[in-house]
Amino acid sequence: MKVSYCWLKEYCDFDLSAQELADTLTDAGFVVEEVNPLQDDYCLDVEVTSNRPDCLGVLGIAREVAAITRSKLRLPEVDYKAGKAPVDFKIHVEDSELCPHYTARVIRGVKIGPSPSWLQKHLEAVGLRPINNVVDITNFVLLESGQPLHAFDMDKLTDKKIVVRRAVKGEAIKTIDGTRCDLTPETLVIADGVRPVAIAGVMGGVDTEVTEATKNILLESARFMPSTVRRAAKRFTLSTDSSYRFERGVDPEGVDWASRRAARLIQELAGGEVARDVIDIGSGKIKKHVVTLTMSRLNAVLGAQIEPATAKDILSRLGFEVKAAGKEGFSVTVPGFRGDVSREIDLIEEVARIYGYNNIPTDTRLSIQVRPRGRYEQVEGKAREILVGWGLTEVITYSIVDDTQHQRFGAFSNAQALTIRNPIRKGEDRLRQTLMGNLLKVKKHNQDRDVPWVKVFELSRIYLPTAGPEKLPDEKTSLCLLWEEEGVIPERAFYALKGIVEGMFSALGLSGHQQWQGYSGESFDQKMSCRVELDGKLLGVLGELKKEIVAEFDLNSAPILAEIDFDAVVERADLTTAFRKLPLYPSAVRDMAVVVDEQVSWADIEKCIAESGLQYLESVEFFDLYRGKQIPSGKKSLAFRLYFRAPDRTLRGEEANEMHKLVEERLGSALGAVLR
Amino acid sequence: MKAELQGIKAEAEDELRRIGSPDELETLRVKYLGRKGILSELLAKIPSLPAEQRPEMGRLLNELKKDITSRYEGAKTALLDMQRPKAVGPVQDVTLPGRRPPLGHKHPLIQTIEDIKDIFADMGFQVAFGPEVELEFYNFEALNIPLDHPSRDDFDTFYLKDDVLLRSQTSTVQIRIMEKQRPPIRIIAPGKVFRPDTVDATHSFMFHQIEGLMVEEGVTFGHLKGVLALFAQAYFGPDTRMRFRPSFFPFTEPSAEVEISCSLCKGKGCSTCGSGWMEILGAGMVDPNVFKAVGYDAEKYTGFAFGMGVERIAMLKYGIDDIRLFFENDMRFLSQF
Ligand SMILES: [Zn+2]
């Protein structure tokens, strides 16, 4: 809210420069974003939080300043001379729930003209354009008190009556700013005998506005329910000074006050006679809140030692009525303009705020508590260390993606992606089901900036729709990796990334049976594409990006991608370490190279060796794959190393040779392998 | 005489070590190994020794001669090497760069989260998580943000369905944790949040927050100040000062905006901070209505909560001037961290 420094001074004597005032308000919770110097004034841009509508009027701010600076608050005069004429006008509030309080004053015989210069200056200081004396006065009182007012040209109201009611379907109104609004029963309107003449709390209609020719005025001051005003303002995108205040709630006790204030000013500046009677519907309903404040609670919450007298003084200055109650408590009556205060904690905040948060002692005496790091955090942290150590850089990409087809890559779901109703950009409304598309975009972004050979990973959530009755999707943490390296042999990069994934699984102590197998995902090249299962359940996929997609994303090479279900990794990881005794006797090592059909996989060979039941076989290690000279076409050579070891003695050379021979025979008979 | 030999040995070794030129080396050779050198002189003395000592001394003297000769040759070679620096043959150019194994980089936001997490972990706070796609209840109602209230405007939100949204704050995790856990509670919840803001240098529709929550009997606003001061000093440096300003959040009361003295200008005021102070987080005592929503006894327990923007903290810490850099993932940016 814009506040004029000079205007504020009319209600309160404080000894602060404009900048000091700004700092003081900021420290009390009203952040002053700007202090703009004017010709002989300053305009402060004050941020008023949504719980403090009372400070959407200069008087409210003045009350705060008076409380902080311990100076006196001066309220303006509101008395006027009432005339003898009765009111010949009817007001009917049909919906008293949406309009709990409605007042109207009638002022006859006004002379519309320009406002005096002091009034014009006040309005201009806060950026308002003066219009005519009556309209300016309603604006002035709104800015002064925070209570919106509206002046109708009474002679333009049909049937000498006002009805506060919901609009009827088909009705419309042209507001003062010239917008035509089609109304529905959702909107509360002020109507005359035949038609709506204002959208309640938002804006008046152009047909009944005060003009140069206006003689008689109906002055409305009312209270409307915040939600109804909010909805109307949203619906017609009409955020006005009035709607802004009604949405946040006006002072129930200030409705009539503001009306009297405006009547007095109109009488003073535009002449005319204020009718004897006032129409006032609903004023009796106002109930005051009385809240108990105990000093022990106050100090227990704040961790301070504030004296009762201090608390009492602060609350009184803020306009609360404070009476001693019990040994160490107060019974506090809340003024109408403080609708935000209804509980003890609200009063505690008020005391703390003015006492000064910075005067409350800082307390670092906490009990010691030690808690182990959670499992997810531990596994995630370790995985991250491993990947970064192996040269991959972590990226973070947006969870909301566009509707390009890369969403179909997802290994974990091919359902229709979840969408956002109100995206900021049309088309960018999908929640990702895979991280792969985003990593390709990272590659492209870097490629366009001449950064070659990207090796990246992302560890973030993907959002998978569920078929069940759950309202929330299955949020899976996905680990996605993209790897490329210089060189012409694509297998090299493929096995490099596979090695990283396997190595990570092993370092994380993944329990269960891992099985790698061929995979025909939509995104990968058939020849270099695989999936890995953990005890028969999909754990992830890995492969070389398909040529068509490489072209589609305009990439200069085909990277290797992998996407892993990281939740499953966390679930099956085992970071505990159990020491195994070091072997007492040396191992015997034998190398072997066999030629087999292309169809025979390394897994077949491993399995065959494992099933041969050799007592002293410790491990088998692959080290070379060879095709080419000396190897017939359709065949390949696989070389590996066998480690034999006995726990209780050194194996003799003949024993190792015998076992080596056995492996050879077994591979020969089971897989047709021939020693190379 | 044995002692004499040892003395000679030590002296010769010492002198050889300090040789700087061929001339010096030659002088030394003459001194020890020359025809009239020290060793020759000693050799000449042997016949005059008692018979039983002669073989022993002869052997020792020979050993010494061998030793000095070999050291002399060594020194000679070294001297020659030194004298022909431009000699042909493979010489290591030690100024060539070493071969560095590739090292990846953690994303700066992750690093920031980890650093912050670690500090709070030292104070007994445990990491907690919650869903990013969230029920409206957890994002609003349970946090004392009623429907149709202007305070909802501060948390503009992406909706999937009427009551399903992308969380606009990590405070949702407070509720989820309190629903299933009884005090004492000390948690820290990092994660992504979403708000429909147009992207520019300081706004992003997706960003990260860290939420903190502590609920115990007897927790005070003073403790909130204490915990945050310890954090600020650990993260931004021991000289960091802190100040609290009243603010409004629906789920805390009293609520505060917390500022720290600028680490760049030490609070004097500079182009980054303006006033010397930088806003880093929002905090407050948990509102009794929030306790009510999760079934805690608000008379018995008190607590505080705080929330900070990770991007903002990382930008302050590293001097980054554009939030978009975090999500572009340019390797030239990421490799700086
Ligand atoms: Zn600074």
Side-chain angles (χ1 to χ4, degrees):
Chain A
M1 191 185 69
K2 293 199 166 64
V3 177
S4 144
Y5 177 76
C6 292
W7 191 350
L8 189 64
K9 276 217 150 177
E10 288 169 15
Y11 310 112
C12 173
D13 296 315
F14 52 85
D15 193 15
L16 299 169
S17 70
Q19 189 54 55
E20 286 165 346
L21 174 68
D23 294 343
T24 304
L25 283 170
T26 300
D27 285 345
F30 300 91
V31 178
V32 178
E33 287 169 345
E34 261 182 322
V35 179
N36 293 312
L38 304 173
Q39 208 172 13
D40 43 14
D41 193 359
Y42 294 91
C43 177
L44 281 68
D45 197 352
V46 185
E47 192 189 311
V48 178
T49 50
S50 60
N51 60 324
R52 291 301 303 273
D54 60 304
C55 287
L56 294 173
V58 186
L59 267 175
I61 301 273
R63 188 177 295 111
E64 287 289 323
V65 175
I68 302 161
T69 61
R70 310 175 68 85
S71 45
K72 200 167 156 47
L73 181 70
R74 273 193 306 271
L75 292 177
E77 294 295 329
V78 293
D79 294 338
Y80 61 86
K81 264 211 278 340
K84 297 219 167 65
V87 169
D88 53 343
F89 208 88
K90 291 260 166 339
I91 307 265
H92 179 55
V93 177
E94 259 181 28
D95 198 324
S96 62
E97 207 171 298
L98 298 185
C99 173
H101 193 184
Y102 195 97
T103 70
R105 280 185 165 77
V106 169
I107 306 159
R108 290 197 189 79
V110 296
K111 214 169 160 248
I112 305 295
S115 301
S117 74
W118 70 263
L119 179 49
Q120 295 201 8
K121 237 168 118 181
H122 275 70
L123 296 179
E124 281 167 346
V126 295
L128 243 67
R129 194 170 49 88
I131 296 166
N132 60 48
N133 47 11
V134 170
V135 173
D136 290 353
I137 287 165
T138 57
N139 283 333
F140 175 85
V141 175
L142 175 147
L143 292 170
E144 184 182 59
S145 66
Q147 169 65 45
L149 301 171
H150 187 68
F152 292 100
D153 183 330
M154 204 166 85
D155 301 321
K156 290 180 187 157
L157 296 170
T158 320
D159 296 348
K160 291 197 167 191
K161 77 176 187 190
I162 283 283
V163 184
V164 183
R165 59 166 168 88
R166 287 167 181 271
V168 177
K169 207 167 176 241
E171 280 183 328
I173 183 172
K174 194 169 167 197
T175 47
I176 287 171
D177 67 338
T179 333
R180 187 195 143 94
C181 303
D182 291 312
L183 303 165
T184 63
E186 207 187 43
T187 305
L188 188 74
V189 295
I190 314 299
D192 62 11
V194 292
R195 57 179 175 167
V197 292
I199 299 174
V202 181
M203 200 182 265
V206 74
D207 293 344
T208 52
E209 75 175 321
V210 172
T211 64
E212 306 295 311
T214 301
K215 293 273 179 301
N216 304 315
I217 284 169
L218 183 85
L219 180 67
E220 167 199 289
S221 180
R223 187 157 64 87
F224 303 108
M225 282 310 279
S227 56
T228 182
V229 175
R230 182 172 155 85
R231 262 180 297 217
K234 259 197 163 166
R235 190 188 164 101
F236 303 112
T237 50
L238 283 173
S239 182
T240 60
D241 280 337
S242 164
S243 69
Y244 191 81
R245 284 163 179 80
F246 279 123
E247 282 177 43
R248 281 156 182 77
V250 297
D251 174 8
E253 293 165 29
V255 174
D256 188 57
W257 187 93
S259 176
R260 283 188 284 152
R261 172 75 171 145
R264 178 190 167 98
L265 287 170
I266 290 171
Q267 198 168 51
E268 192 181 314
L269 304 177
E273 190 187 282
V274 184
R276 187 186 64 202
D277 311 317
V278 181
I279 304 174
D280 187 332
I281 299 163
S283 67
K285 290 178 206 158
I286 301 158
K287 219 182 110 200
K288 291 218 179 226
H289 270 295
V290 178
V291 184
T292 307
L293 173 69
T294 48
M295 288 309 293
S296 58
R297 181 71 183 168
L298 179 132
N299 284 319
V301 169
L302 299 180
Q305 258 123 31
I306 297 174
E307 293 297 327
T310 310
K312 183 178 178 185
D313 181 53
I314 289 172
L315 292 173
S316 309
R317 284 175 179 282
L318 288 171
F320 294 87
E321 215 178 284
V322 187
K323 273 190 240 138
K327 239 200 295 186
E328 47 129 27
F330 296 108
S331 160
V332 181
T333 307
V334 180
F337 53 82
R338 290 306 302 271
D340 61 312
V341 175
S342 62
R343 306 167 300 168
E344 186 176 33
I345 192 72
D346 302 327
L347 293 173
I348 292 174
E349 178 175 58
E350 287 310 296
V351 174
R353 197 166 61 82
I354 303 298
Y355 181 77
Y357 286 180
N358 297 314
N359 297 324
I360 293 169
T362 298
D363 189 350
T364 52
R365 293 165 304 168
L366 294 179
S367 69
I368 290 182
Q369 286 180 18
V370 180
R371 313 215 169 130
R373 287 170 73 205
R375 181 181 179 79
Y376 180 87
E377 202 195 342
Q378 280 186 47
V379 177
E380 187 197 37
K382 181 146 188 193
R384 190 171 266 132
E385 297 292 344
I386 291 168
L387 296 173
V388 167
W390 280 337
L392 288 107
T393 291
E394 181 170 27
V395 301
I396 297 179
T397 63
Y398 294 125
S399 297
I400 303 171
V401 294
D402 58 25
D403 183 23
T404 56
Q405 49 171 336
H406 70 259
Q407 279 309 297
R408 70 169 189 241
F409 300 167
F412 304 109
S413 168
N414 46 19
Q416 193 69 34
L418 295 162
T419 54
I420 290 163
R421 264 190 203 169
N422 54 333
I424 40 173
R425 250 187 304 192
K426 225 178 154 226
E428 278 185 30
D429 60 351
R430 312 275 150 140
L431 292 191
R432 62 186 177 189
Q433 298 187 55
T434 170
L435 302 178
M436 284 195 211
N438 281 353
L439 291 203
L440 292 179
K441 286 186 172 168
V442 169
K443 147 105 182 121
K444 169 74 173 147
H445 180 92
N446 281 284
Q447 175 185 308
D448 290 348
R449 282 151 190 83
D450 294 324
V451 182
W453 313 120
V454 171
K455 297 175 169 71
V456 293
F457 73 96
E458 178 166 9
L459 195 49
S460 290
R461 305 233 181 122
I462 52 176
Y463 314 87
L464 311 180
T466 48
E470 305 86 11
K471 285 199 158 158
L472 297 182
D474 174 16
E475 263 177 52
K476 198 184 271 307
T477 305
S478 162
L479 168 62
C480 194
L481 308 100
L482 182 149
W483 180 275
E484 46 177 358
E485 56 183 70
E486 203 161 1
V488 285
I489 316 165
E491 288 92 350
R492 216 182 121 87
F494 177 86
Y495 286 110
L497 189 59
K498 182 164 186 270
I500 284 169
V501 170
E502 288 168 340
M504 183 191 71
F505 287 165
S506 147
L508 297 177
L510 220 60
S511 64
H513 176 61
Q514 284 169 44
Q515 195 180 9
W516 293 83
Q517 53 199 226
Y519 168 61
S520 53
E522 269 192 79
S523 40
F524 295 150
D525 185 291
Q526 294 294 304
K527 274 189 285 204
M528 246 185 299
S529 165
C530 59
R531 50 184 271 146
V532 56
E533 288 185 349
L534 189 61
D535 289 341
K537 224 184 123 215
L538 179 69
L539 182 61
V541 296
L542 184 148
E544 188 189 67
L545 192 67
K546 219 181 214 170
K547 295 285 173 295
E548 297 90 84
I549 303 178
V550 172
E552 194 184 300
F553 277 80
D554 195 15
L555 306 180
N556 56 13
S557 69
I560 310 294
L561 284 164
E563 186 154 28
I564 312 289
D565 176 351
F566 199 73
D567 290 337
V569 172
V570 171
E571 195 186 310
R572 303 295 289 272
D574 182 3
L575 297 183
T576 56
T577 305
F579 166 72
R580 273 170 289 125
K581 276 209 164 75
L582 301 182
L584 289 170
Y585 299 93
S587 63
V589 181
R590 294 291 182 273
D591 287 353
M592 184 181 281
V594 293
V595 176
V596 292
D597 287 346
E598 280 287 0
Q599 287 80 2
V600 176
S601 71
W602 170 247
D604 296 334
I605 291 180
E606 258 188 327
K607 186 163 173 251
C608 178
I609 298 174
E611 283 169 357
S612 59
L614 289 171
Q615 192 187 353
Y616 297 128
L617 178 71
E618 190 179 62
S619 60
V620 186
E621 226 171 60
F622 165 84
F623 67 80
D624 191 38
L625 163 71
Y626 178 75
R627 294 183 182 92
K629 263 196 282 178
Q630 299 149 359
I631 309 293
S633 75
K635 304 235 177 214
K636 63 188 174 187
S637 160
L638 288 161
F640 49 91
R641 185 162 287 173
L642 299 158
Y643 291 86
F644 302 106
R645 196 195 304 270
D648 52 351
R649 66 196 167 84
T650 305
L651 286 174
R652 278 174 291 113
E654 304 87 79
E655 287 179 284
N657 292 344
E658 220 168 275
M659 288 185 280
H660 182 256
K661 187 90 191 139
L662 243 149
V663 169
E664 180 198 332
E665 280 168 18
R666 178 103 200 149
L667 290 176
S669 63
L671 302 170
V674 178
L675 217 54
R676 185 175 157 209
Chain B
M1 196 165 157
K2 228 173 170 174
E4 196 183 346
L5 290 187
Q6 265 166 5
I8 290 166
K9 185 178 177 204
E11 198 179 321
E13 278 175 11
D14 194 38
E15 284 180 37
L16 272 160
R17 226 178 284 137
R18 279 184 274 132
I19 287 298
S21 70
D23 287 349
E24 282 171 29
L25 186 68
E26 180 55 17
T27 314
L28 217 95
R29 189 190 64 81
V30 174
K31 179 178 172 190
Y32 290 100
L33 304 169
R35 235 179 315 134
K36 287 180 182 162
I38 293 171
L39 293 187
S40 300
E41 269 172 33
L42 285 172
L43 199 63
K45 279 185 193 162
I46 285 184
S48 60
L49 292 172
E52 69 276 9
Q53 286 184 14
R54 279 179 219 159
E56 165 78 356
M57 282 319 295
R59 195 177 55 76
L60 285 175
L61 207 54
N62 255 324
E63 263 176 28
L64 182 60
K65 190 173 176 181
K66 244 194 233 163
D67 184 61
I68 295 182
T69 308
S70 97
R71 280 173 195 275
Y72 162 78
E73 292 297 340
K76 199 165 135 185
T77 319
L79 207 57
L80 279 173
D81 281 352
M82 238 164 65
Q83 283 200 308
R84 42 169 197 213
K86 291 174 196 83
V88 284
V91 176
Q92 296 309 335
D93 177 356
V94 297
T95 66
L96 281 175
R99 200 177 63 236
R100 301 187 200 185
L103 192 60
H105 302 269
K106 276 187 207 172
H107 195 284
L109 293 177
I110 298 292
Q111 277 186 42
T112 306
I113 290 172
E114 284 188 353
D115 292 346
I116 294 171
K117 224 163 66 172
D118 286 349
I119 294 168
F120 283 104
D122 289 348
M123 294 190 266
F125 285 73
Q126 201 173 27
V127 174
F129 300 98
E132 291 168 11
V133 180
E134 193 44 291
L135 295 173
E136 193 177 40
F137 172 78
Y138 290 99
N139 203 65
F140 291 126
E141 278 87 341
L143 288 165
N144 198 29
I145 310 174
L147 189 72
D148 249 334
H149 193 267
S151 60
R152 280 214 185 186
D153 292 347
D154 302 336
F155 302 94
D156 246 358
T157 306
F158 284 118
Y159 276 88
L160 280 80
K161 292 183 206 147
D162 281 343
D163 56 347
V164 180
L165 44 75
L166 282 174
R167 67 176 176 196
S168 55
Q169 45 185 327
T170 42
S171 306
T172 52
V173 185
Q174 282 184 32
I175 306 298
R176 290 213 170 251
I177 294 293
M178 285 195 281
E179 267 183 349
K180 54 183 186 206
Q181 210 175 304
R182 309 301 301 174
I185 285 182
R186 292 184 196 180
I187 56 152
I188 192 107
K192 290 188 173 73
V193 299
F194 305 83
R195 290 181 196 172
D197 279 330
T198 306
V199 175
D200 63 23
T202 52
H203 294 88
S204 177
F205 62 82
M206 177 182 99
F207 56 102
H208 296 74
Q209 278 188 338
I210 296 184
E211 185 81 9
L213 174 71
M214 174 166 170
V215 182
E216 282 170 39
E217 276 179 63
V219 173
T220 68
F221 193 84
H223 288 129
L224 168 65
K225 290 182 69 177
V227 164
L228 292 180
L230 291 176
F231 158 71
Q233 284 163 10
Y235 189 76
F236 290 102
D239 300 332
T240 308
R241 282 166 297 134
M242 190 167 234
R243 69 179 189 190
F244 281 60
R245 177 157 52 64
S247 189
F248 170 69
F249 306 110
F251 36 90
T252 52
E253 182 149 347
S255 300
E257 216 42 271
V258 181
E259 295 176 310
I260 55 161
S261 55
C262 171
S263 51
L264 302 172
C265 64
K266 302 277 168 233
K268 288 190 199 78
C270 69
S271 60
T272 304
C273 63
S275 63
W277 293 92
M278 303 186 298
E279 215 172 284
I280 57 157
L281 54 83
M285 301 302 288
V286 178
D287 193 288
N289 284 351
V290 174
F291 282 149
K292 209 185 286 166
V294 297
Y296 278 17
D297 180 355
E299 291 297 311
K300 185 169 176 195
Y301 298 112
T302 47
F304 61 73
F306 55 86
M308 54 186 123
V310 179
E311 279 78 358
R312 177 164 173 78
I313 296 210
M315 287 167 91
L316 292 174
K317 174 99 171 177
Y318 301 114
I320 297 166
D321 56 4
D322 193 329
I323 198 171
R324 288 168 291 201
L325 284 166
F326 291 119
F327 306 108
E328 275 172 4
N329 299 299
D330 192 314
M331 290 302 132
R332 296 166 302 174
F333 171 74
L334 295 177
S335 62
Q336 293 176 27
F337 300 93

